Amino acid sequence: MRQDDEALAVSVGDVELFRYVHRPSTPAFEGPKPYLHPVRTLAGDVVTAFRPHDHRWHKGVQMTATDVSGENFWGGVTYVRDRGYAALSNIGTMRHEEFEVDGARFDERLSWFTEEGERWVGESRSFTVRDVEDDSWTLDFATTMTNLRADPLVFGSPTTNGRELAGYTGFFWRGPRSFTDGTVIAADGGAGQEMMGKAARWLAFIGRHDEVDRWSTLLFLDHPDNKNTHWFVRSTPFAAVNPSFAFHDTVELAPGAALTLRYRLVVAGGEWDRAQLESYVEDHPW
């Protein structure tokens, strides 16, 4: 690992697997927060997008939230019931506080501040690189979010506010433009954008790269202890995957209460089919 004042980078051999930008230079409207970008396969192919023209607040892989008691930590416009998307003065900021590094794992403490400067959420995160194999590597991600307010915090999404099948919030990946119209495969025979709003133990996205004649596969696994996860997934008009923790229903945290979530992301070279995905999941249990 290499660390400076803005980012922490993790490499295997000559390949930088990812940069975790913990002190970003992000416009306030985009909801400043840490993010992973670029994320690469072991062959060096980039599998994340950064500030695409359609959603400037999408940055690689991020842990964030669209609606926290009316505050928007996602960035950009906010979905308002019976009104639609609107630019509001409610965009929060996530601020890095410190790292602890231990081998292939690093832990982070950070806080969530509203646009008015109130500290609402204390968060601890852990990132662990593991299972580096011939053509794939794995990132285990865990987060614990604690309500620091004297009032309950309610986590929601555009769907809980009235927009059908738009329940995005939480651990979010935005893929490269060339991954548009990529292939979606999910557990138990699931496939395609029909997985939008559905529950599944895992979901994979397969995309093709520009410039090089190669494919990559991203496999997302939901931890068995997570509650009420439903997938936000798009292959068109852009590539995105999000195991949302508040897709259809809000999640309330009492003062002082904490919510823990865990996810696994496998970054693989090549075009994995269903049999290969199922075999990998079986051979690499939580």
Side-chain angles (χ1 to χ4, degrees):
M1 294 187 189
R2 300 188 312 279
Q3 182 182 350
D4 58 31
D5 290 340
E6 296 181 355
L8 184 152
V10 176
S11 301
V12 171
D14 296 332
V15 177
E16 184 181 273
L17 299 182
F18 62 81
R19 284 176 57 82
Y20 183 64
V21 181
H22 54 89
R23 287 198 174 98
S25 300
T26 300
F29 182 67
E30 297 173 17
K33 68 184 71 67
Y35 59 84
L36 293 158
H37 176 80
V39 179
R40 295 183 175 89
T41 67
L42 290 173
D45 296 325
V46 175
V47 296
T48 48
F50 179 76
R51 294 193 79 235
H53 69 81
D54 48 21
H55 295 78
R56 294 294 189 192
W57 44 94
H58 289 182
K59 296 176 175 67
V61 179
Q62 302 181 96
M63 178 65 203
T64 181
T66 48
D67 181 2
V68 185
S69 294
E71 296 295 311
N72 174 1
F73 290 90
W74 189 271
V77 291
T78 299
Y79 190 82
V80 181
R81 185 180 295 275
D82 300 324
R83 178 181 171 188
Y85 284 102
L88 305 178
S89 297
N90 68 337
I91 300 176
T93 302
M94 298 183 189
R95 302 179 192 173
H96 166 82
E97 293 170 354
E98 67 175 0
F99 281 132
E100 290 186 10
V101 179
D102 182 10
R105 168 177 171 156
F106 64 93
D107 299 330
E108 180 187 27
R109 286 198 309 109
L110 60 162
S111 293
W112 300 22
F113 289 85
T114 68
E115 188 164 317
E116 296 298 319
E118 296 179 353
R119 184 169 175 250
W120 276 18
V121 179
E123 185 187 3
S124 59
R125 299 179 177 181
S126 71
F127 302 78
T128 304
V129 174
R130 52 176 294 172
D131 297 333
V132 179
E133 301 180 354
D134 291 339
D135 63 350
S136 67
W137 62 275
T138 294
L139 178 67
D140 279 355
F141 173 79
T143 175
T144 298
M145 298 170 286
T146 302
N147 179 7
L148 303 179
R149 299 179 72 203
D151 299 313
L153 279 179
V154 180
F155 290 84
S157 68
T159 293
T160 65
N161 284 310
R163 186 185 175 201
E164 186 177 1
L165 297 180
Y168 51 87
T169 199
F171 188 71
F172 183 84
W173 165 78
R174 175 68 187 258
R177 194 172 304 279
S178 67
F179 279 31
T180 304
D181 297 320
T183 300
V184 175
I185 301 173
D188 304 318
Q193 292 197 160
E194 292 75 15
M195 290 304 301
M196 178 69 85
K198 302 283 184 63
R201 293 173 293 115
W202 57 264
L203 183 143
F205 195 106
I206 301 96
R208 192 172 189 177
H209 294 278
D210 285 334
E211 300 183 22
V212 295
D213 187 18
R214 286 196 289 266
W215 298 76
S216 290
T217 298
L218 286 92
L219 170 61
F220 300 82
L221 296 100
D222 186 43
H223 193 274
D225 290 342
N226 294 343
K227 306 299 182 186
N228 207 34
T229 301
H230 293 82
W231 294 93
F232 178 89
V233 56
R234 283 184 175 159
S235 60
T236 185
F238 54 80
V241 174
N242 160 225
S244 174
F245 68 93
F247 195 112
H248 298 290
D249 302 296
T250 58
V251 175
E252 182 171 317
L253 279 186
L259 173 66
T260 296
L261 300 167
R262 294 175 63 187
Y263 306 103
R264 178 169 291 171
L265 171 59
V266 181
V267 180
E271 186 180 7
W272 287 17
D273 60 17
R274 179 175 296 279
Q276 192 169 0
L277 290 163
E278 290 176 345
S279 176
Y280 186 94
V281 172
E282 182 177 352
D283 292 341
H284 298 77
W286 283 97

